[in-house]
Amino acid sequence: MPRKITPQSRIEPSFKKTRSKSAKRTVADERVAGKSAPAKRRKKPASKARKPKARTGRSRVGRALRGLVYWSFVLAIWGGIAIAGVVAYYGARMPSAATWSIPDRPPNVKIVSVRGEVMANRGATGGEALLLGDMSPYIPQAVIAIEDRRFYSHFGVDPIGLARAMLANVAAGRMVQGGSTLTQQLAKNLFLSPERTIERKVQEVLLSLWLEHKFAKDQILEMYLNRVFFGSGAYGVEAASRRYFRKPARDVTLAEAALLAGLLKAPSRLSPARNPKGAEERAQVVLVAMREHGVVSDREIATALTSPQIRAKSYWTGSENYVADMVMKRLPDLVGPVTEDLVVDTTIDFHLQREAEKALRASLEANGAKLAVSQGALVSVDGTGAVRALIGGREYATSQFDRATEAKRQPGSAFKPFVYAAALEQGRTPLSVRNDAPVRIGKWTPENYDGNYRGEVTLSDALTYSLNTVAAQLAMEVGPKTVVQTARRLGIEADMKANASIALGTSEVTLMELTAAYAPFMNGGYKATPHVIRRVSTQDGKVLYENTYDNPPRVVDPVVAAMMNQMLVRVVNEGTGKNARLDGWMTAGKTGTSQSFRDALFVGYTANLATGVWFGNDDGAPMKKVTGGALPAQTWKTFMQAAHKGLPSVGLPVAGPVPPVSIEGPAAGEDDPVAGLVRDLVPIPLSRDSTGATGAGLPVPPADLGAAPQPGGIARRTTLLDILLGN
């Protein structure tokens, strides 16, 4: 029976035949290749298994990536929730935003000269607040370029800048960049402590967002530049520019602005007063950042890089700071506690201040080492007592002690004018005669500087040549107590001992009060109370204080003042003050030298100014024979020539010839506290050699003091002192 052919049976033989041929070829190929058929069959299933494995590997990677994305998303959500929770927690601990306000900037006291020049700023910040338009444009440009390039585009927090800083820090393996914006830094400075905690950082961000919402960008930048710390006690750009460059912030150059901006990274470590090299290197980094930011050109960069390296003193420098310190000490007594920004108008002439500083420093630099003198001071006042210049020491940066107003030193013979003034007030005149001879007062024997004695001399002669014996005699005639009263009336406020030696300036005084006490002679007899504060007002012009020295009391009779001028002019023209003579000006003054050359002074005046100059050492060490007529008088002349340059010459009030009237000294009663001293004043015998010089030895014939006619035809009467001396 024929076999039924189905489709399957038709295909099957063909398939078997094909498979058989294929198998034969495969076996043949394997034999040619030297391999057995079973080996090939074993590999065949392996070949089929590779495809599923490849598909499985790709699936696993895909699943892993999908899982990573998923869990990253989940973690991001939970991280966001956690961050939101932290922000909410610490934000809840802060006061309500409705109560937030910018804290008041610590009050600043701006101290200006008589012409309105800013001499110094005092207060916690050390400088006044400025508008952006009032400062050099280089300053904000430099700060933005190095601290926060995206300042004008971010919203208070800069994620891009933060990411960039993190990458830079990771790449460097250390902290090289900060991610805080200027707004964040301002928030930290205004409201927060410097501690590094999560709470503080969260609060910083919240406050930054509030600042950005509340204020414009320029306002934020302005507040930042006026409050940020620049090192060396300077807060704000105005304080920093005056601290390091001695100029206002509006005059700061590109190189100086780069230096200031560079300080913000580490103000104490990079301060040019402490580390000028480090400050310069950081400034160069700022300049490169400014060029990359596109705010300066290559030419400007090249000019800035060739600028001299900035070297600042380790402390605020400039003699005007002595004035500023004195102002701050006296200000509370005038206006009470300082609670707002104030402007203090002083009497200081800044030109004279600079000339005085220059003259004093030049003298010390030229002569300090060879004469063993390390310090000096200068005070110059006008006829009203207004202080026109005040130098408290050689260099404020190295010593802030004010030797002009705080140091009390012996004035030496510079005190004698008060003795002579007291004598003139009791009726004596410049032509009254006394005997220059050695005397002994108790256990004290005053001697002249040169060791010589001149016999009969007028009071004018005695003051001209600074004869100690005559000054001591006059002090005993009028009484030491009267001398003290006269000196105090003219302006000496220090404690003075009413004894015979006061005639030679043994009571310590300040240079300020000594100089001002000479002013009544120059102004015709009126008291000149020394003062440096002319007016105190608020920023908006409200006057809180104004001095009242316009109507001073008369303290010396004008005739006595005129006679004192006569004598003190001779001191400069003929006597110990010759080195102080000014061409074309009538000049009066007196030298002073304390024992062992510890202090040397010259106090002199014209019709315009009374000026005192002192040299010495803070530890009281003796100088090398420096007298008041040498270095102090020379320095006085240098300053006064500059001060009077271009001014018309004006004479001093002097009287005409004075009759040689002499009166007896005060009677020494039993209850007089100085009576014993007067009774103890006894002559010491002298001898005269063939040349006329005097010395200890044989007695000297008494001078005819009672009978000799005097110039003008008036006989001189015998005085009590003559009787006491046995003449």
Side-chain angles (χ1 to χ4, degrees):
M1 183 178 180
R3 185 175 54 166
K4 189 179 181 178
I5 299 176
T6 64
Q8 184 177 2
S9 63
R10 285 199 297 268
I11 294 172
E12 220 175 75
S14 175
F15 173 73
K16 289 180 179 178
K17 187 183 290 185
T18 304
R19 181 179 177 187
S20 176
K21 291 179 181 179
S22 177
K24 288 179 181 179
R25 284 197 299 271
T26 303
V27 171
D29 291 341
E30 288 176 351
R31 287 175 179 169
V32 172
K35 295 181 180 178
S36 62
K40 186 67 178 178
R41 284 193 295 271
R42 283 195 299 269
K43 278 190 175 183
K44 200 166 187 179
S47 177
K48 290 179 180 178
R50 272 199 298 269
K51 292 180 182 178
K53 282 187 177 180
R55 287 195 296 270
T56 303
R58 284 195 297 269
S59 298
R60 289 176 180 173
V61 172
R63 285 196 299 271
L65 289 174
R66 286 194 298 272
L68 180 62
V69 171
Y70 171 79
W71 286 110
S72 296
F73 184 70
V74 171
L75 289 174
I77 293 175
W78 283 107
I81 294 172
I83 292 174
V86 171
V87 170
Y89 173 74
Y90 288 122
R93 292 165 59 91
M94 298 176 66
S96 171
T99 65
W100 294 358
S101 63
I102 300 296
D104 291 335
R105 190 171 182 268
N108 178 72
V109 179
K110 181 168 69 173
I111 301 167
V112 301
S113 72
V114 73
R115 291 187 175 90
E117 303 131 312
V118 178
M119 297 194 301
N121 286 279
R122 286 290 187 270
T125 58
E128 59 184 309
L130 300 179
L131 300 175
L132 283 180
D134 293 334
M135 62 182 73
S136 167
Y138 291 125
I139 295 176
Q141 290 171 357
V143 171
I144 289 174
I146 195 65
E147 290 291 319
D148 190 358
R149 294 188 186 184
R150 290 169 43 80
F151 173 72
Y152 282 103
S153 61
H154 63 64
F155 53 88
V157 179
D158 185 10
I160 297 176
L162 181 60
R164 183 177 62 246
M166 291 177 62
L167 290 175
N169 295 335
V170 170
R174 59 188 177 88
M175 179 69 73
V176 294
Q177 288 188 22
S180 295
T181 63
L182 292 181
T183 311
Q184 288 177 270
Q185 294 180 42
L186 176 63
K188 179 177 64 176
N189 291 337
L190 290 178
F191 303 104
L192 304 173
S193 64
E195 61 183 352
R196 296 172 179 263
T197 63
I198 295 177
E199 180 178 8
R200 192 201 62 80
K201 199 65 179 177
V202 169
Q203 292 174 347
E204 179 185 300
V205 171
L206 294 174
L207 290 167
S208 299
L209 298 176
W210 175 79
L211 286 171
E212 291 280 343
H213 172 72
K214 189 80 173 176
F215 301 97
K217 286 287 188 179
D218 283 352
Q219 290 177 306
I220 293 173
L221 182 60
E222 196 174 273
M223 285 189 287
Y224 176 82
L225 293 175
N226 280 313
R227 298 180 185 238
V228 68
F229 181 54
F230 285 94
S232 297
Y235 289 84
V237 292
E238 179 70 6
S241 60
R242 291 188 180 278
R243 169 67 182 86
Y244 297 125
F245 318 129
R246 298 190 70 180
K247 64 169 67 171
R250 66 174 177 271
D251 296 333
V252 166
T253 66
L254 172 59
E256 293 165 343
L259 186 142
L260 290 180
L263 297 179
L264 298 177
K265 179 180 180 181
S268 298
R269 179 171 59 85
L270 295 176
S271 168
R274 180 178 181 180
N275 182 10
K277 183 178 179 181
E280 190 67 25
E281 291 174 351
R282 179 63 177 170
Q284 293 178 10
V285 174
V286 176
L287 290 172
V288 172
M290 294 179 73
R291 182 177 59 190
E292 293 174 351
H293 196 50
V295 294
V296 293
S297 64
D298 289 340
R299 178 176 295 181
E300 290 176 304
I301 293 291
T303 302
L305 290 175
T306 58
S307 301
Q309 186 176 1
I310 297 167
R311 295 184 177 275
K313 297 285 186 180
S314 59
Y315 203 80
W316 294 87
T317 188
S319 62
E320 64 273 15
N321 287 288
Y322 289 112
V323 178
D325 288 350
M326 184 171 68
V327 166
M328 294 306 294
K329 288 177 182 177
R330 300 186 178 183
L331 192 59
D333 293 335
L334 303 180
V335 299
V338 178
T339 58
E340 60 181 318
D341 285 0
L342 299 178
V343 178
V344 178
D345 293 284
T346 70
T347 59
I348 297 294
D349 185 318
F350 218 173
H351 168 68
L352 297 184
Q353 183 75 15
R354 292 287 185 226
E355 292 295 336
E357 181 179 9
K358 188 190 305 181
L360 189 75
R361 190 171 296 175
S363 294
L364 286 169
E365 288 176 354
N367 303 285
K370 65 182 179 182
L371 297 179
V373 52
S374 61
Q375 280 295 349
L378 184 150
V379 175
S380 186
V381 303
D382 66 14
T384 68
V387 179
R388 298 305 185 188
L390 185 147
I391 315 296
R394 180 173 190 165
E395 174 56 72
Y396 183 85
T398 57
S399 173
Q400 295 79 56
F401 179 65
D402 185 355
R403 296 154 188 83
T405 63
E406 296 178 333
K408 292 186 177 181
R409 309 300 286 259
Q410 290 186 351
S413 294
F415 191 85
K416 287 178 181 177
F418 309 121
V419 178
Y420 282 78
L424 297 181
E425 287 179 336
Q426 292 191 358
R428 297 161 184 81
T429 74
L431 298 182
S432 297
V433 177
R434 292 294 180 271
N435 188 23
D436 176 26
V439 294
R440 184 168 55 248
I441 303 175
K443 296 182 179 181
W444 178 53
T445 303
E447 297 179 354
N448 291 330
Y449 171 75
D450 58 5
N452 295 324
Y453 302 92
R454 295 160 178 79
E456 282 184 301
V457 293
T458 64
L459 298 190
S460 182
D461 292 333
L463 187 58
T464 297
Y465 301 108
S466 198
L467 303 181
N468 292 339
T469 59
V470 176
Q473 292 175 38
L474 288 177
M476 297 312 299
E477 285 185 27
V478 302
K481 193 173 182 180
T482 301
V483 173
V484 170
Q485 292 171 346
T486 302
R488 197 170 300 285
R489 181 168 18 104
L490 268 66
I492 302 296
E493 297 180 352
D495 292 334
M496 294 174 283
K497 295 181 179 179
N499 54 32
S501 66
I502 195 173
L504 306 188
T506 54
S507 291
E508 296 179 339
V509 299
T510 67
L511 182 64
M512 168 83 84
E513 60 187 346
L514 180 66
T515 303
Y518 273 62
F521 302 141
M522 67 177 277
N523 67 23
Y526 294 96
K527 186 171 185 179
T529 303
H531 59 281
V532 74
I533 298 176
R534 190 164 56 93
R535 184 185 302 110
V536 181
S537 56
T538 62
Q539 283 287 89
D540 57 8
K542 180 183 177 182
V543 177
L544 303 180
Y545 166 82
E546 196 158 6
N547 74 47
T548 55
Y549 299 113
D550 294 336
N551 298 304
R554 180 178 289 281
V555 292
V556 177
D557 188 277
V559 175
V560 172
M563 290 189 290
M564 287 301 304
N565 287 334
Q566 281 186 354
M567 293 192 290
L568 291 173
V569 165
R570 278 196 68 196
V571 172
V572 175
N573 290 340
E574 307 172 28
T576 58
K578 286 182 180 180
N579 285 328
R581 282 182 292 189
L582 294 178
D583 295 335
W585 283 85
M586 183 180 289
T587 306
K590 185 68 187 76
T591 59
T593 309
S594 68
Q595 191 174 11
S596 302
F597 304 100
R598 288 185 171 87
D599 305 277
L601 307 93
F602 181 80
V603 183
Y605 54 91
T606 63
N608 285 355
L609 293 172
T611 301
V613 179
W614 167 87
F615 284 102
N617 296 301
D618 288 337
D619 60 0
M623 297 174 286
K624 292 183 179 179
K625 296 188 176 180
V626 177
T627 64
L631 195 60
Q634 294 162 2
T635 305
W636 185 94
K637 179 179 180 178
T638 301
F639 165 70
M640 292 291 272
Q641 279 182 329
H644 289 75
K645 186 177 181 180
L647 298 178
S649 178
V650 180
L652 289 165
V654 294
V658 181
V661 177
S662 178
I663 64 172
E664 289 79 11
E670 291 299 327
D671 57 346
D672 191 329
V674 299
L677 290 177
V678 175
R679 285 193 292 269
D680 288 341
L681 192 152
V682 296
I684 298 178
L686 293 178
S687 64
R688 193 183 305 273
D689 60 21
S690 59
T691 64
T694 59
L698 298 175
V700 180
D704 263 329
L705 296 181
Q710 304 298 317
I714 301 178
R716 181 185 181 283
R717 290 179 293 171
T718 303
T719 68
L720 173 62
L721 184 64
D722 297 332
I723 297 173
L724 292 172
L725 293 176
N727 295 326

